[in-house]
Amino acid sequence: MVNSSWSVDEFLDQCKQSGDSAYTAFRSLLEKLEDPTTRAPARVFLSDLQKRFSSGEASEQCLSTFHFRIQDVVLDQYEGYGGRKKLTTMVIPSIFIPEDWSFTFYEGLNRHPDSIFKDKTVAELGCGNGWISIATAEKWSPLKVYGLDINPRAVKISWINLYLNALDENGQPIYDGENKTLLDRVEFHESDLLSYCRDRGIELERIVGCIPQILNPNPDAMSKMITENASEEFLYSLSNYCALQGFVEDQFGLGLIARAVEEGISVIKPMGIMIFNMGGRPGQGVCKRLFERRGFCVTKLWQTKVIQAADTDISALVEIEKNSPHRFEFFMGLAGDQPICARTAWAYGKAGGRISHALSVYSCQLRQPNQVKTIFEFLKNGFHGISSSLDLSFEDDSVADEKIPFLAYLASILKGNSFFPYESPAGSNWFRNLVAGFMRTYHHIPLNADSVVIFPSRAVAIENALRLFSPRLAIVDEHLTRHLPRQWLTSLKIESTDTDNPSEDVLTVIEAPHQSDLMIELIKKLKPQVVITGTAHFEAVTSSAFEHLLDVTRKIGSRLFLDISDHFELSSLPGSNGVLKYLSGTPLPSHAAVICGLVKNQVYSDLEVAFVISEEEAICKALSKTVELLEGNTALISQYYYGCLFRELLAFQLADRHPPAERVCENEKPTEMIGFASSALSVLDNAELSITETENSSPIHMDVDKSFLPLPSSVKASIFESFARQNMAESETDITTSIRQFIKSSYGFPTSTGTEFIYADCSLALFNKLVLCCIQEGGTLCFPAGSNGNYVSSAKFLKANILNVPTRSEFGFKLSEETLTGVFESSNNPWLYISGPTINPTGLVYSNREMENILSVCAKFGAKVVIDTSFSGLEYGFEGGGVWDLGDSLARLYSSSKPSFCVSLLGGLSLKLLTGGLTCGFLALNQSLLVDAFHSFPGLSKPHSTVKYTMKKLLSLQEQKTGGLMEAIAEQKRILCNRAKRLKQTLEICGWEVLECHAGVSMVAKPSAYLNKVMRLKDTAFEMKINDSNIREAILRATGLCINSAPWTGIHGYCRFTFALEDTEFGQALDCIIKFKDLFSN
């Protein structure tokens, strides 16, 4: 090859044989160019080769005869730092030949300022013969350009073109102003889109691409192995066609672009820019949305029309139009201005007409790059299926600034955690600390998390506060009474009564005007025990109205709850707030608390969470217990959402930059005021509620009815998709049809058009409304011994007339017909609560026959029955799997029983659908009178639309037995069965009598080996004589393990253990049981 006069002819003879022979010849030439010792003569050889075909006609003849062509690409006005006006490039038939498509793209790149590529790391996708990568390096002097193409022949030819332009005709390097050559700035690599950069951890600042956007009419052709020895026709088709990529954009032929964009998100630097050539065939709106829904801000740099390439078959687009309402956009010739569809364009082209389409160059930049990267990092780890639901396009920047960070936070939570962690009923410690931090940072109020209690909503916070104090008379702002019980708002009992009958202990609420002076006048005249009010907007700026209210309520002895919801701003520049100004200089008096409902987000009008601030420790503790008793907990997702907003506002603040000022404490003590209601105080003191975690302790919870087992991928995907979607149709969040089908298939529970379905954040809140209906009706609420202790405690808190139904150990502490008959004979207007099919806490199961017999007794006495299925769905050791078919028996009983007989079905989906901390309760009511009574107690915290979407999606997967959910349920049943065996074995070894369980997440056991023994803790003076009531405290003190004791289970001597713990914690719990035994071994 050094002797060019001989080698050129021989080289051409080889090329003439075939396109494959020409490629082989050039590949050998490339080897010479890559070798520094032969590089110069090889470059001279290329010059000699070009001179043989210097004219345009000769160049075209060369392509047809010798299967290659060397020609110049004129840059002219686009010359760069090197001042070069043209590039010399070669092509072969098996790679993309530069034409209008790529020239238009380069024109679009030139619309950017010169600085866009200067000193940047760039990748070009689908580089073809590499001319754009080389031109980019020549014009803008980037740090590095990676030209990438899936066609191995294209990569080889690109390297040859690089040497053609990096070296002069004599084979000497051409240096630019920075003393670098194009060889220093450009590399070419075989790569499926960005895989080369991704696999090597190369971070890019610019990604440009000019890649195929039409599906191959022959899909099977795209499945062939891509090698340099593949046919010329196949390799060339890679330049025109793409295969299905598994993206929603496949329907427009844009799936490959979509994949390139998502791969680009993972490797592009935060301020990076992507620039793509987009054929306008799908329509400009479709092209733009591809980028916008992935979080990009889009700028159209350039648009023109180009003739549709004659060698590209558009029949695949015709097929898409046939199967969808979408119409592609073509034009008749370059002058046509009325779009025609793909079918018309195909027919016109077949008849010899020339068709064109729009061609645009889009420049795209991520609006919140770090957060969007986090989102897509989550999606690519097994959740690609939900990427089609992702929509990060927002017309309002404030909406984007709120939702994108939350999606990123949710993605990090779902990716980094296998389950939702245990959180205190007072609210997530993380969230309460953020609320307190916001108050410290923005309002200079020295709060800590212990002064903050979280509620599901403002309405719930108000009702719980009133139930906690149970005042004879309360005055409530007229704007805050809408969700209070109707009975409170219609009662006229404002005078004190001497009755001790709880059913006559009616709380009376008087509605008051919003204006503070009128409110104060009412307070002075009526002397209420509790006042709940907000402030008018014109009074909220200063603290005078608040101070006046404090003063008046202090003198009268009224508890004051001030609502600041309307004036509280989640903003980096919050408006003036008189109440918060006051609190920055003065502690909140002991008789006052502040309520704030958070509803002012930019995205979800129905997403609420509330907090109460009190600097009185006893008030905070009592209020947090009301959440546990009456609501179960506050939805974790709601806390995550608003917590993310608080976190964003605090993230850029310097800690403790403004130390809080000294606050002046009040000197005047309030008049004696109402304390907690005696019934409430009794329950709060005696109920076994959650153990509060401290900074120095983190107890292991075998005392909560939640699962901490890993969330299946299908659950995580459904949760994320519910927030990723925008503009969900009402039908997508209406779960009634799904619930109706679920309870029919699981329990055979009959429903009709008259059945009322009611939903709440958790089933406990629904149960408590039923308890209120029972109280209002004068009913007797019957609990079998061995019922969930939290339900019994909440009924006591609400002052229900409760009757305990004895159960016997020989029947596994299940209800018997004989015992139930005896209880009902002596009961007035009985209501029966029963947990089934899975019984909580014992973990035993009621069979279909057993439940039918129980219902027969209830029908005979006209009892109202509440069947609680909340703890069912994970039966693993029971024949029949805990499935009932009650339809026929209930139809028979309804036709022959007393009119008062009815069966209500209560349920929750978290255990059945493996959603862990994401809860949704439902209640099916079949009696119209009960429905009316239920709706007279309106203050329910409803599940958010995203929760309902998630549950509906999972119920659908369960019904269809798809999505891996059924396999996950079977696996969790296997885990629970194994856990139950291990726990039973450990307990029995340690001297406990265990009642074997067959379902659910809990079991009961009797501490026979420890009763009446004295426990002494090493190195302390503490000692305790063990009985079935104090063993919970003993085990907690000795080991840090939380269980429920006999007063909670209602079964004499038996404690309750839940075992759906995270795997490590379960092992630690077993160690704690052994450790407790060892205390008595010495």
Side-chain angles (χ1 to χ4, degrees), residues 396-408:
D396 188 339
D397 284 344
S398 63
V399 174
D401 291 343
E402 181 174 304
K403 187 165 182 179
I404 292 176
F406 172 72
L407 286 174

Side-chain angles (χ1 to χ4, degrees), residues 273-346:
I273 296 173
M274 298 187 196
I275 306 171
F276 284 96
N277 217 25
M278 299 292 291
R281 291 167 293 232
Q284 296 298 315
V286 170
C287 294
K288 196 174 180 183
R289 177 159 172 74
L290 181 150
F291 300 104
E292 289 179 332
R293 81 175 189 87
R294 290 174 170 84
F296 286 90
C297 294
V298 181
T299 303
K300 188 190 293 183
L301 296 175
W302 182 242
Q303 182 172 340
T304 187
K305 283 183 189 173
V306 296
I307 294 296
Q308 174 65 51
D311 58 358
T312 303
D313 186 353
I314 65 169
S315 60
L317 306 186
V318 177
E319 282 298 307
I320 290 172
E321 285 188 344
K322 187 168 74 174
N323 298 311
S324 77
H326 185 76
R327 293 296 175 263
F328 291 88
E329 290 184 2
F330 289 88
F331 300 90
M332 298 169 65
L334 290 173
D337 57 359
Q338 292 297 312
I340 59 175
C341 66
R343 183 168 177 267
T344 303
W346 177 84

Side-chain angles (χ1 to χ4, degrees), residues 346-378:
W346 177 84
Y348 184 63
K350 284 290 184 183
R354 293 208 312 164
I355 57 175
S356 66
H357 61 82
L359 189 61
S360 304
V361 179
Y362 288 109
S363 175
C364 317
Q365 192 165 16
L366 290 171
R367 65 197 310 165
Q368 296 192 39
N370 291 328
Q371 289 91 337
V372 173
K373 281 175 172 287
T374 299
I375 291 168
F376 279 93
E377 185 68 25
F378 166 73

Side-chain angles (χ1 to χ4, degrees), residues 993-1006:
E993 292 180 36
V994 181
L995 181 64
E996 185 173 1
C997 63
H998 304 293
V1001 299
S1002 66
M1003 68 165 51
V1004 296
K1006 188 173 185 178

